[in-house]
Amino acid sequence: MKISQNTSIGELVKLNFKTASVFQDNNIDFCCGGDKTISEACKNAGLDPEKLIGQLELIAEQNDADSQYINGLSLEELSNYIVKRHHSYVRESIPQLQKNLEKICQVHGSHHPELFEINSLFTESSGDLTMHMQKEELMLFPFIRRLELSSKNGAALPNSPFGPVSNPISMMVAEHQQEGDRFEQISKLSENYTLPEDACTTYEITLRQLRDFENDLHRHIHLENNILFPKAIELEKNLTT
């Protein structure tokens, strides 16, 4: 793929997820901001687009079997993958992270008051993400699967309880942005998950877990915003013409 200033960030990361590391290193949002071009993102970040393109080209030369696998999945397979890989991870990670955050707040909160705000933000995120995933699993993903089945069978557009599929997708994208903003705050409060000198083992583990959670969330959102959702909208459009 030829990379230019007009290249979409989301499209580039879709083709080769390894390029996401370049955007992360330059503080460019590749998941919620995947609809921006390299030129737009660099303008917002105060970066030289040609320098960034040079960095991206070096990474893009590397083969990315994982992206090839993801791009070869049907919409049903991709939605199932997201649930099994990312939704399960979120549900499994929340209880231990909440427990560890409470513990380090009790032990280190007097010297690191930012921990209380981090704990509050993560608690909000946990509740909202749980509801968000339920809406996807019970409403949006099943409808996307029906869209795909109708397309394969040459059937009519399936009945929708929410109008065009872009309606719930817009809501999901807005909620993704909210979570991205929350974790940006958590990252800033923790100085990009930097350990203080007086950190105990639990403190170290908790910051590592938070960083891993954010990284997983970025990929999770990328798969939906930049791959699953655009394909679903295009599929519905084709069924109505």
PDB file of all heavy atoms in Angstrom, residues 96-116 118-119 190 194-196 198-210:
ATOM      1  N   GLN A  96     -10.233  -8.246  39.144  1.00  0.00           N
ATOM      2  CA  GLN A  96      -8.893  -8.206  39.732  1.00  0.00           C
ATOM      3  C   GLN A  96      -8.337  -6.786  39.739  1.00  0.00           C
ATOM      4  O   GLN A  96      -7.700  -6.362  40.710  1.00  0.00           O
ATOM      5  CB  GLN A  96      -7.949  -9.125  38.953  1.00  0.00           C
ATOM      6  CG  GLN A  96      -6.577  -9.291  39.605  1.00  0.00           C
ATOM      7  CD  GLN A  96      -6.646  -9.898  40.990  1.00  0.00           C
ATOM      8  OE1 GLN A  96      -7.223 -10.961  41.161  1.00  0.00           O
ATOM      9  NE2 GLN A  96      -6.082  -9.235  41.989  1.00  0.00           N
ATOM     10  N   LEU A  97      -8.593  -6.040  38.677  1.00  0.00           N
ATOM     11  CA  LEU A  97      -8.126  -4.656  38.633  1.00  0.00           C
ATOM     12  C   LEU A  97      -8.812  -3.811  39.697  1.00  0.00           C
ATOM     13  O   LEU A  97      -8.165  -2.986  40.367  1.00  0.00           O
ATOM     14  CB  LEU A  97      -8.372  -4.061  37.243  1.00  0.00           C
ATOM     15  CG  LEU A  97      -7.153  -3.963  36.328  1.00  0.00           C
ATOM     16  CD1 LEU A  97      -7.564  -3.596  34.916  1.00  0.00           C
ATOM     17  CD2 LEU A  97      -6.155  -2.949  36.864  1.00  0.00           C
ATOM     18  N   GLN A  98     -10.100  -3.998  39.874  1.00  0.00           N
ATOM     19  CA  GLN A  98     -10.820  -3.247  40.903  1.00  0.00           C
ATOM     20  C   GLN A  98     -10.277  -3.574  42.293  1.00  0.00           C
ATOM     21  O   GLN A  98     -10.089  -2.675  43.124  1.00  0.00           O
ATOM     22  CB  GLN A  98     -12.319  -3.561  40.828  1.00  0.00           C
ATOM     23  CG  GLN A  98     -13.006  -2.952  39.612  1.00  0.00           C
ATOM     24  CD  GLN A  98     -14.475  -3.299  39.523  1.00  0.00           C
ATOM     25  OE1 GLN A  98     -14.872  -4.427  39.852  1.00  0.00           O
ATOM     26  NE2 GLN A  98     -15.292  -2.364  39.077  1.00  0.00           N
ATOM     27  N   LYS A  99     -10.014  -4.846  42.535  1.00  0.00           N
ATOM     28  CA  LYS A  99      -9.469  -5.275  43.826  1.00  0.00           C
ATOM     29  C   LYS A  99      -8.097  -4.654  44.071  1.00  0.00           C
ATOM     30  O   LYS A  99      -7.817  -4.132  45.163  1.00  0.00           O
ATOM     31  CB  LYS A  99      -9.373  -6.802  43.853  1.00  0.00           C
ATOM     32  CG  LYS A  99      -8.809  -7.376  45.141  1.00  0.00           C
ATOM     33  CD  LYS A  99      -8.740  -8.898  45.065  1.00  0.00           C
ATOM     34  CE  LYS A  99      -8.111  -9.484  46.326  1.00  0.00           C
ATOM     35  NZ  LYS A  99      -8.028 -10.983  46.240  1.00  0.00           N
ATOM     36  N   ASN A 100      -7.237  -4.681  43.061  1.00  0.00           N
ATOM     37  CA  ASN A 100      -5.887  -4.137  43.216  1.00  0.00           C
ATOM     38  C   ASN A 100      -5.898  -2.616  43.366  1.00  0.00           C
ATOM     39  O   ASN A 100      -5.104  -2.050  44.132  1.00  0.00           O
ATOM     40  CB  ASN A 100      -5.023  -4.532  42.019  1.00  0.00           C
ATOM     41  CG  ASN A 100      -4.617  -5.996  42.052  1.00  0.00           C
ATOM     42  OD1 ASN A 100      -4.793  -6.669  43.064  1.00  0.00           O
ATOM     43  ND2 ASN A 100      -4.093  -6.493  40.949  1.00  0.00           N
ATOM     44  N   LEU A 101      -6.779  -1.945  42.633  1.00  0.00           N
ATOM     45  CA  LEU A 101      -6.870  -0.490  42.752  1.00  0.00           C
ATOM     46  C   LEU A 101      -7.324  -0.085  44.154  1.00  0.00           C
ATOM     47  O   LEU A 101      -6.798   0.878  44.734  1.00  0.00           O
ATOM     48  CB  LEU A 101      -7.827   0.072  41.694  1.00  0.00           C
ATOM     49  CG  LEU A 101      -7.247   0.228  40.285  1.00  0.00           C
ATOM     50  CD1 LEU A 101      -8.359   0.472  39.267  1.00  0.00           C
ATOM     51  CD2 LEU A 101      -6.235   1.377  40.237  1.00  0.00           C
ATOM     52  N   GLU A 102      -8.298  -0.799  44.689  1.00  0.00           N
ATOM     53  CA  GLU A 102      -8.753  -0.512  46.051  1.00  0.00           C
ATOM     54  C   GLU A 102      -7.605  -0.690  47.048  1.00  0.00           C
ATOM     55  O   GLU A 102      -7.428   0.112  47.970  1.00  0.00           O
ATOM     56  CB  GLU A 102      -9.918  -1.439  46.424  1.00  0.00           C
ATOM     57  CG  GLU A 102     -11.223  -1.137  45.706  1.00  0.00           C
ATOM     58  CD  GLU A 102     -11.864   0.160  46.166  1.00  0.00           C
ATOM     59  OE1 GLU A 102     -11.471   0.679  47.235  1.00  0.00           O
ATOM     60  OE2 GLU A 102     -12.741   0.669  45.449  1.00  0.00           O
ATOM     61  N   LYS A 103      -6.819  -1.731  46.845  1.00  0.00           N
ATOM     62  CA  LYS A 103      -5.720  -2.028  47.766  1.00  0.00           C
ATOM     63  C   LYS A 103      -4.649  -0.941  47.733  1.00  0.00           C
ATOM     64  O   LYS A 103      -4.207  -0.463  48.786  1.00  0.00           O
ATOM     65  CB  LYS A 103      -5.101  -3.382  47.419  1.00  0.00           C
ATOM     66  CG  LYS A 103      -3.989  -3.811  48.370  1.00  0.00           C
ATOM     67  CD  LYS A 103      -3.499  -5.215  48.054  1.00  0.00           C
ATOM     68  CE  LYS A 103      -2.396  -5.638  49.021  1.00  0.00           C
ATOM     69  NZ  LYS A 103      -1.919  -7.020  48.719  1.00  0.00           N
ATOM     70  N   ILE A 104      -4.236  -0.525  46.527  1.00  0.00           N
ATOM     71  CA  ILE A 104      -3.164   0.475  46.480  1.00  0.00           C
ATOM     72  C   ILE A 104      -3.682   1.859  46.882  1.00  0.00           C
ATOM     73  O   ILE A 104      -2.901   2.700  47.348  1.00  0.00           O
ATOM     74  CB  ILE A 104      -2.458   0.516  45.100  1.00  0.00           C
ATOM     75  CG1 ILE A 104      -3.411   0.916  43.979  1.00  0.00           C
ATOM     76  CG2 ILE A 104      -1.797  -0.823  44.803  1.00  0.00           C
ATOM     77  CD1 ILE A 104      -2.707   1.095  42.630  1.00  0.00           C
ATOM     78  N   CYS A 105      -4.981   2.092  46.738  1.00  0.00           N
ATOM     79  CA  CYS A 105      -5.551   3.344  47.253  1.00  0.00           C
ATOM     80  C   CYS A 105      -5.432   3.387  48.775  1.00  0.00           C
ATOM     81  O   CYS A 105      -5.079   4.422  49.361  1.00  0.00           O
ATOM     82  CB  CYS A 105      -7.017   3.479  46.847  1.00  0.00           C
ATOM     83  SG  CYS A 105      -7.283   4.064  45.156  1.00  0.00           S
ATOM     84  N   GLN A 106      -5.714   2.260  49.413  1.00  0.00           N
ATOM     85  CA  GLN A 106      -5.640   2.186  50.871  1.00  0.00           C
ATOM     86  C   GLN A 106      -4.208   2.338  51.369  1.00  0.00           C
ATOM     87  O   GLN A 106      -3.946   3.028  52.357  1.00  0.00           O
ATOM     88  CB  GLN A 106      -6.221   0.854  51.350  1.00  0.00           C
ATOM     89  CG  GLN A 106      -7.724   0.710  51.145  1.00  0.00           C
ATOM     90  CD  GLN A 106      -8.220  -0.694  51.468  1.00  0.00           C
ATOM     91  OE1 GLN A 106      -7.468  -1.548  51.931  1.00  0.00           O
ATOM     92  NE2 GLN A 106      -9.496  -0.944  51.196  1.00  0.00           N
ATOM     93  N   VAL A 107      -3.270   1.705  50.666  1.00  0.00           N
ATOM     94  CA  VAL A 107      -1.879   1.681  51.135  1.00  0.00           C
ATOM     95  C   VAL A 107      -1.104   2.926  50.706  1.00  0.00           C
ATOM     96  O   VAL A 107      -0.315   3.477  51.484  1.00  0.00           O
ATOM     97  CB  VAL A 107      -1.165   0.408  50.613  1.00  0.00           C
ATOM     98  CG1 VAL A 107       0.312   0.417  51.003  1.00  0.00           C
ATOM     99  CG2 VAL A 107      -1.854  -0.843  51.144  1.00  0.00           C
ATOM    100  N   HIS A 108      -1.329   3.398  49.481  1.00  0.00           N
ATOM    101  CA  HIS A 108      -0.503   4.475  48.927  1.00  0.00           C
ATOM    102  C   HIS A 108      -1.268   5.779  48.674  1.00  0.00           C
ATOM    103  O   HIS A 108      -0.665   6.766  48.246  1.00  0.00           O
ATOM    104  CB  HIS A 108       0.116   4.022  47.594  1.00  0.00           C
ATOM    105  CG  HIS A 108       1.059   2.868  47.717  1.00  0.00           C
ATOM    106  ND1 HIS A 108       2.385   3.009  48.067  1.00  0.00           N
ATOM    107  CD2 HIS A 108       0.848   1.529  47.535  1.00  0.00           C
ATOM    108  CE1 HIS A 108       2.962   1.820  48.088  1.00  0.00           C
ATOM    109  NE2 HIS A 108       2.056   0.904  47.771  1.00  0.00           N
ATOM    110  N   GLY A 109      -2.567   5.769  48.925  1.00  0.00           N
ATOM    111  CA  GLY A 109      -3.385   6.930  48.585  1.00  0.00           C
ATOM    112  C   GLY A 109      -2.978   8.220  49.271  1.00  0.00           C
ATOM    113  O   GLY A 109      -3.110   9.304  48.692  1.00  0.00           O
ATOM    114  N   SER A 110      -2.464   8.139  50.489  1.00  0.00           N
ATOM    115  CA  SER A 110      -2.082   9.356  51.216  1.00  0.00           C
ATOM    116  C   SER A 110      -0.921  10.076  50.544  1.00  0.00           C
ATOM    117  O   SER A 110      -0.820  11.307  50.604  1.00  0.00           O
ATOM    118  CB  SER A 110      -1.719   9.012  52.661  1.00  0.00           C
ATOM    119  OG  SER A 110      -0.649   8.077  52.699  1.00  0.00           O
ATOM    120  N   HIS A 111      -0.033   9.318  49.895  1.00  0.00           N
ATOM    121  CA  HIS A 111       1.106   9.916  49.200  1.00  0.00           C
ATOM    122  C   HIS A 111       0.855  10.085  47.702  1.00  0.00           C
ATOM    123  O   HIS A 111       1.563  10.845  47.033  1.00  0.00           O
ATOM    124  CB  HIS A 111       2.362   9.057  49.400  1.00  0.00           C
ATOM    125  CG  HIS A 111       2.857   9.053  50.810  1.00  0.00           C
ATOM    126  ND1 HIS A 111       2.602   8.020  51.687  1.00  0.00           N
ATOM    127  CD2 HIS A 111       3.573   9.970  51.512  1.00  0.00           C
ATOM    128  CE1 HIS A 111       3.147   8.287  52.859  1.00  0.00           C
ATOM    129  NE2 HIS A 111       3.745   9.469  52.783  1.00  0.00           N
ATOM    130  N   HIS A 112      -0.137   9.374  47.195  1.00  0.00           N
ATOM    131  CA  HIS A 112      -0.451   9.440  45.764  1.00  0.00           C
ATOM    132  C   HIS A 112      -1.964   9.595  45.589  1.00  0.00           C
ATOM    133  O   HIS A 112      -2.659   8.645  45.198  1.00  0.00           O
ATOM    134  CB  HIS A 112       0.052   8.181  45.048  1.00  0.00           C
ATOM    135  CG  HIS A 112       1.529   7.974  45.157  1.00  0.00           C
ATOM    136  ND1 HIS A 112       2.440   8.691  44.415  1.00  0.00           N
ATOM    137  CD2 HIS A 112       2.258   7.147  45.962  1.00  0.00           C
ATOM    138  CE1 HIS A 112       3.663   8.308  44.737  1.00  0.00           C
ATOM    139  NE2 HIS A 112       3.583   7.374  45.668  1.00  0.00           N
ATOM    140  N   PRO A 113      -2.483  10.782  45.876  1.00  0.00           N
ATOM    141  CA  PRO A 113      -3.944  10.996  45.818  1.00  0.00           C
ATOM    142  C   PRO A 113      -4.543  10.792  44.429  1.00  0.00           C
ATOM    143  O   PRO A 113      -5.746  10.584  44.302  1.00  0.00           O
ATOM    144  CB  PRO A 113      -4.105  12.449  46.280  1.00  0.00           C
ATOM    145  CG  PRO A 113      -2.760  13.082  46.067  1.00  0.00           C
ATOM    146  CD  PRO A 113      -1.763  11.991  46.292  1.00  0.00           C
ATOM    147  N   GLU A 114      -3.699  10.828  43.386  1.00  0.00           N
ATOM    148  CA  GLU A 114      -4.211  10.604  42.028  1.00  0.00           C
ATOM    149  C   GLU A 114      -4.784   9.194  41.872  1.00  0.00           C
ATOM    150  O   GLU A 114      -5.602   8.939  40.980  1.00  0.00           O
ATOM    151  CB  GLU A 114      -3.105  10.826  40.989  1.00  0.00           C
ATOM    152  CG  GLU A 114      -2.002   9.789  40.947  1.00  0.00           C
ATOM    153  CD  GLU A 114      -0.915  10.002  41.992  1.00  0.00           C
ATOM    154  OE1 GLU A 114      -1.037  10.955  42.789  1.00  0.00           O
ATOM    155  OE2 GLU A 114       0.058   9.223  41.991  1.00  0.00           O
ATOM    156  N   LEU A 115      -4.378   8.279  42.774  1.00  0.00           N
ATOM    157  CA  LEU A 115      -4.887   6.909  42.698  1.00  0.00           C
ATOM    158  C   LEU A 115      -6.398   6.856  42.901  1.00  0.00           C
ATOM    159  O   LEU A 115      -7.081   6.015  42.301  1.00  0.00           O
ATOM    160  CB  LEU A 115      -4.192   6.025  43.738  1.00  0.00           C
ATOM    161  CG  LEU A 115      -2.718   5.689  43.472  1.00  0.00           C
ATOM    162  CD1 LEU A 115      -2.123   4.944  44.657  1.00  0.00           C
ATOM    163  CD2 LEU A 115      -2.582   4.861  42.197  1.00  0.00           C
ATOM    164  N   PHE A 116      -6.916   7.745  43.733  1.00  0.00           N
ATOM    165  CA  PHE A 116      -8.360   7.750  43.980  1.00  0.00           C
ATOM    166  C   PHE A 116      -9.130   8.150  42.715  1.00  0.00           C
ATOM    167  O   PHE A 116     -10.187   7.595  42.423  1.00  0.00           O
ATOM    168  CB  PHE A 116      -8.698   8.692  45.137  1.00  0.00           C
ATOM    169  CG  PHE A 116      -8.173   8.228  46.464  1.00  0.00           C
ATOM    170  CD1 PHE A 116      -7.062   8.833  47.041  1.00  0.00           C
ATOM    171  CD2 PHE A 116      -8.775   7.171  47.133  1.00  0.00           C
ATOM    172  CE1 PHE A 116      -6.571   8.399  48.262  1.00  0.00           C
ATOM    173  CE2 PHE A 116      -8.288   6.728  48.361  1.00  0.00           C
ATOM    174  CZ  PHE A 116      -7.174   7.344  48.929  1.00  0.00           C
ATOM    175  N   ILE A 118      -7.957   7.756  39.624  1.00  0.00           N
ATOM    176  CA  ILE A 118      -7.786   6.637  38.696  1.00  0.00           C
ATOM    177  C   ILE A 118      -8.792   5.535  39.014  1.00  0.00           C
ATOM    178  O   ILE A 118      -9.439   4.976  38.122  1.00  0.00           O
ATOM    179  CB  ILE A 118      -6.344   6.087  38.767  1.00  0.00           C
ATOM    180  CG1 ILE A 118      -5.363   7.095  38.161  1.00  0.00           C
ATOM    181  CG2 ILE A 118      -6.234   4.740  38.046  1.00  0.00           C
ATOM    182  CD1 ILE A 118      -3.899   6.730  38.347  1.00  0.00           C
ATOM    183  N   ASN A 119      -8.940   5.240  40.301  1.00  0.00           N
ATOM    184  CA  ASN A 119      -9.889   4.211  40.727  1.00  0.00           C
ATOM    185  C   ASN A 119     -11.317   4.585  40.343  1.00  0.00           C
ATOM    186  O   ASN A 119     -12.089   3.752  39.856  1.00  0.00           O
ATOM    187  CB  ASN A 119      -9.783   4.013  42.242  1.00  0.00           C
ATOM    188  CG  ASN A 119     -10.567   2.808  42.730  1.00  0.00           C
ATOM    189  OD1 ASN A 119     -10.838   1.877  41.976  1.00  0.00           O
ATOM    190  ND2 ASN A 119     -10.943   2.822  43.996  1.00  0.00           N
ATOM    191  N   SER A 190      -1.360   8.786  35.810  1.00  0.00           N
ATOM    192  CA  SER A 190      -0.311   7.848  36.229  1.00  0.00           C
ATOM    193  C   SER A 190       1.025   8.147  35.554  1.00  0.00           C
ATOM    194  O   SER A 190       1.973   7.365  35.697  1.00  0.00           O
ATOM    195  CB  SER A 190      -0.732   6.413  35.902  1.00  0.00           C
ATOM    196  OG  SER A 190      -0.866   6.232  34.502  1.00  0.00           O
ATOM    197  N   THR A 194       3.836   5.194  35.000  1.00  0.00           N
ATOM    198  CA  THR A 194       5.186   5.219  35.565  1.00  0.00           C
ATOM    199  C   THR A 194       5.136   4.892  37.054  1.00  0.00           C
ATOM    200  O   THR A 194       4.348   5.479  37.804  1.00  0.00           O
ATOM    201  CB  THR A 194       5.827   6.604  35.369  1.00  0.00           C
ATOM    202  OG1 THR A 194       5.875   6.891  33.966  1.00  0.00           O
ATOM    203  CG2 THR A 194       7.233   6.639  35.948  1.00  0.00           C
ATOM    204  N   LEU A 195       5.991   3.985  37.490  1.00  0.00           N
ATOM    205  CA  LEU A 195       6.024   3.586  38.899  1.00  0.00           C
ATOM    206  C   LEU A 195       6.708   4.645  39.753  1.00  0.00           C
ATOM    207  O   LEU A 195       7.812   5.094  39.421  1.00  0.00           O
ATOM    208  CB  LEU A 195       6.787   2.275  39.059  1.00  0.00           C
ATOM    209  CG  LEU A 195       6.060   0.966  38.771  1.00  0.00           C
ATOM    210  CD1 LEU A 195       7.043  -0.190  38.901  1.00  0.00           C
ATOM    211  CD2 LEU A 195       4.899   0.774  39.735  1.00  0.00           C
ATOM    212  N   PRO A 196       6.099   5.048  40.875  1.00  0.00           N
ATOM    213  CA  PRO A 196       6.801   5.925  41.812  1.00  0.00           C
ATOM    214  C   PRO A 196       7.851   5.128  42.587  1.00  0.00           C
ATOM    215  O   PRO A 196       7.821   3.892  42.601  1.00  0.00           O
ATOM    216  CB  PRO A 196       5.682   6.411  42.739  1.00  0.00           C
ATOM    217  CG  PRO A 196       4.657   5.331  42.695  1.00  0.00           C
ATOM    218  CD  PRO A 196       4.719   4.759  41.301  1.00  0.00           C
ATOM    219  N   ASP A 198       8.256   4.631  45.691  1.00  0.00           N
ATOM    220  CA  ASP A 198       7.778   3.875  46.850  1.00  0.00           C
ATOM    221  C   ASP A 198       6.761   2.799  46.475  1.00  0.00           C
ATOM    222  O   ASP A 198       6.068   2.260  47.337  1.00  0.00           O
ATOM    223  CB  ASP A 198       7.156   4.824  47.882  1.00  0.00           C
ATOM    224  CG  ASP A 198       5.972   5.605  47.316  1.00  0.00           C
ATOM    225  OD1 ASP A 198       5.864   5.708  46.074  1.00  0.00           O
ATOM    226  OD2 ASP A 198       5.162   6.117  48.116  1.00  0.00           O
ATOM    227  N   ALA A 199       6.676   2.466  45.195  1.00  0.00           N
ATOM    228  CA  ALA A 199       5.672   1.494  44.742  1.00  0.00           C
ATOM    229  C   ALA A 199       5.981   0.089  45.258  1.00  0.00           C
ATOM    230  O   ALA A 199       7.130  -0.354  45.256  1.00  0.00           O
ATOM    231  CB  ALA A 199       5.616   1.475  43.221  1.00  0.00           C
ATOM    232  N   CYS A 200       4.928  -0.598  45.690  1.00  0.00           N
ATOM    233  CA  CYS A 200       5.055  -1.989  46.108  1.00  0.00           C
ATOM    234  C   CYS A 200       4.774  -2.897  44.901  1.00  0.00           C
ATOM    235  O   CYS A 200       4.476  -2.424  43.800  1.00  0.00           O
ATOM    236  CB  CYS A 200       4.080  -2.297  47.239  1.00  0.00           C
ATOM    237  SG  CYS A 200       2.341  -2.152  46.762  1.00  0.00           S
ATOM    238  N   THR A 201       4.850  -4.196  45.123  1.00  0.00           N
ATOM    239  CA  THR A 201       4.623  -5.150  44.035  1.00  0.00           C
ATOM    240  C   THR A 201       3.208  -5.035  43.474  1.00  0.00           C
ATOM    241  O   THR A 201       3.004  -5.089  42.253  1.00  0.00           O
ATOM    242  CB  THR A 201       4.866  -6.587  44.527  1.00  0.00           C
ATOM    243  OG1 THR A 201       6.207  -6.700  45.006  1.00  0.00           O
ATOM    244  CG2 THR A 201       4.656  -7.583  43.400  1.00  0.00           C
ATOM    245  N   THR A 202       2.218  -4.863  44.361  1.00  0.00           N
ATOM    246  CA  THR A 202       0.830  -4.739  43.898  1.00  0.00           C
ATOM    247  C   THR A 202       0.655  -3.488  43.049  1.00  0.00           C
ATOM    248  O   THR A 202      -0.073  -3.497  42.048  1.00  0.00           O
ATOM    249  CB  THR A 202      -0.143  -4.702  45.090  1.00  0.00           C
ATOM    250  OG1 THR A 202       0.026  -5.886  45.870  1.00  0.00           O
ATOM    251  CG2 THR A 202      -1.590  -4.616  44.621  1.00  0.00           C
ATOM    252  N   TYR A 203       1.317  -2.403  43.433  1.00  0.00           N
ATOM    253  CA  TYR A 203       1.272  -1.154  42.666  1.00  0.00           C
ATOM    254  C   TYR A 203       1.810  -1.409  41.253  1.00  0.00           C
ATOM    255  O   TYR A 203       1.204  -1.009  40.247  1.00  0.00           O
ATOM    256  CB  TYR A 203       2.132  -0.109  43.381  1.00  0.00           C
ATOM    257  CG  TYR A 203       1.800   1.339  43.104  1.00  0.00           C
ATOM    258  CD1 TYR A 203       1.714   2.255  44.152  1.00  0.00           C
ATOM    259  CD2 TYR A 203       1.606   1.813  41.811  1.00  0.00           C
ATOM    260  CE1 TYR A 203       1.428   3.597  43.917  1.00  0.00           C
ATOM    261  CE2 TYR A 203       1.325   3.148  41.566  1.00  0.00           C
ATOM    262  CZ  TYR A 203       1.237   4.035  42.621  1.00  0.00           C
ATOM    263  OH  TYR A 203       0.956   5.354  42.384  1.00  0.00           O
ATOM    264  N   GLU A 204       2.946  -2.092  41.181  1.00  0.00           N
ATOM    265  CA  GLU A 204       3.569  -2.394  39.889  1.00  0.00           C
ATOM    266  C   GLU A 204       2.646  -3.256  39.026  1.00  0.00           C
ATOM    267  O   GLU A 204       2.453  -2.984  37.830  1.00  0.00           O
ATOM    268  CB  GLU A 204       4.894  -3.116  40.114  1.00  0.00           C
ATOM    269  CG  GLU A 204       5.619  -3.479  38.833  1.00  0.00           C
ATOM    270  CD  GLU A 204       6.929  -4.210  39.078  1.00  0.00           C
ATOM    271  OE1 GLU A 204       7.263  -4.457  40.253  1.00  0.00           O
ATOM    272  OE2 GLU A 204       7.614  -4.539  38.078  1.00  0.00           O
ATOM    273  N   ILE A 205       2.069  -4.287  39.631  1.00  0.00           N
ATOM    274  CA  ILE A 205       1.176  -5.184  38.895  1.00  0.00           C
ATOM    275  C   ILE A 205      -0.051  -4.430  38.391  1.00  0.00           C
ATOM    276  O   ILE A 205      -0.485  -4.609  37.245  1.00  0.00           O
ATOM    277  CB  ILE A 205       0.747  -6.364  39.792  1.00  0.00           C
ATOM    278  CG1 ILE A 205       1.942  -7.289  40.051  1.00  0.00           C
ATOM    279  CG2 ILE A 205      -0.408  -7.144  39.158  1.00  0.00           C
ATOM    280  CD1 ILE A 205       1.676  -8.358  41.088  1.00  0.00           C
ATOM    281  N   THR A 206      -0.592  -3.555  39.235  1.00  0.00           N
ATOM    282  CA  THR A 206      -1.813  -2.826  38.875  1.00  0.00           C
ATOM    283  C   THR A 206      -1.583  -1.883  37.699  1.00  0.00           C
ATOM    284  O   THR A 206      -2.405  -1.817  36.774  1.00  0.00           O
ATOM    285  CB  THR A 206      -2.338  -2.032  40.084  1.00  0.00           C
ATOM    286  OG1 THR A 206      -2.524  -2.926  41.189  1.00  0.00           O
ATOM    287  CG2 THR A 206      -3.665  -1.360  39.757  1.00  0.00           C
ATOM    288  N   LEU A 207      -0.466  -1.157  37.715  1.00  0.00           N
ATOM    289  CA  LEU A 207      -0.175  -0.262  36.596  1.00  0.00           C
ATOM    290  C   LEU A 207       0.050  -1.048  35.308  1.00  0.00           C
ATOM    291  O   LEU A 207      -0.366  -0.618  34.227  1.00  0.00           O
ATOM    292  CB  LEU A 207       1.046   0.605  36.902  1.00  0.00           C
ATOM    293  CG  LEU A 207       0.868   1.717  37.935  1.00  0.00           C
ATOM    294  CD1 LEU A 207       2.075   2.653  37.920  1.00  0.00           C
ATOM    295  CD2 LEU A 207      -0.401   2.529  37.691  1.00  0.00           C
ATOM    296  N   ARG A 208       0.692  -2.208  35.432  1.00  0.00           N
ATOM    297  CA  ARG A 208       0.891  -3.040  34.248  1.00  0.00           C
ATOM    298  C   ARG A 208      -0.450  -3.544  33.718  1.00  0.00           C
ATOM    299  O   ARG A 208      -0.692  -3.567  32.512  1.00  0.00           O
ATOM    300  CB  ARG A 208       1.796  -4.225  34.578  1.00  0.00           C
ATOM    301  CG  ARG A 208       2.211  -5.036  33.334  1.00  0.00           C
ATOM    302  CD  ARG A 208       2.961  -6.307  33.687  1.00  0.00           C
ATOM    303  NE  ARG A 208       3.962  -6.079  34.705  1.00  0.00           N
ATOM    304  CZ  ARG A 208       4.055  -6.784  35.826  1.00  0.00           C
ATOM    305  NH1 ARG A 208       3.190  -7.746  36.073  1.00  0.00           N
ATOM    306  NH2 ARG A 208       5.003  -6.543  36.699  1.00  0.00           N
ATOM    307  N   GLN A 209      -1.337  -3.933  34.639  1.00  0.00           N
ATOM    308  CA  GLN A 209      -2.666  -4.400  34.232  1.00  0.00           C
ATOM    309  C   GLN A 209      -3.462  -3.283  33.552  1.00  0.00           C
ATOM    310  O   GLN A 209      -4.157  -3.522  32.562  1.00  0.00           O
ATOM    311  CB  GLN A 209      -3.434  -4.907  35.454  1.00  0.00           C
ATOM    312  CG  GLN A 209      -2.929  -6.230  36.007  1.00  0.00           C
ATOM    313  CD  GLN A 209      -3.637  -6.615  37.298  1.00  0.00           C
ATOM    314  OE1 GLN A 209      -4.000  -5.751  38.103  1.00  0.00           O
ATOM    315  NE2 GLN A 209      -3.830  -7.903  37.507  1.00  0.00           N
ATOM    316  N   LEU A 210      -3.362  -2.074  34.078  1.00  0.00           N
ATOM    317  CA  LEU A 210      -4.071  -0.941  33.479  1.00  0.00           C
ATOM    318  C   LEU A 210      -3.545  -0.641  32.077  1.00  0.00           C
ATOM    319  O   LEU A 210      -4.319  -0.369  31.157  1.00  0.00           O
ATOM    320  CB  LEU A 210      -3.929   0.305  34.360  1.00  0.00           C
ATOM    321  CG  LEU A 210      -4.853   0.408  35.569  1.00  0.00           C
ATOM    322  CD1 LEU A 210      -4.426   1.579  36.453  1.00  0.00           C
ATOM    323  CD2 LEU A 210      -6.309   0.577  35.141  1.00  0.00           C
TER     324      LEU A 210
END
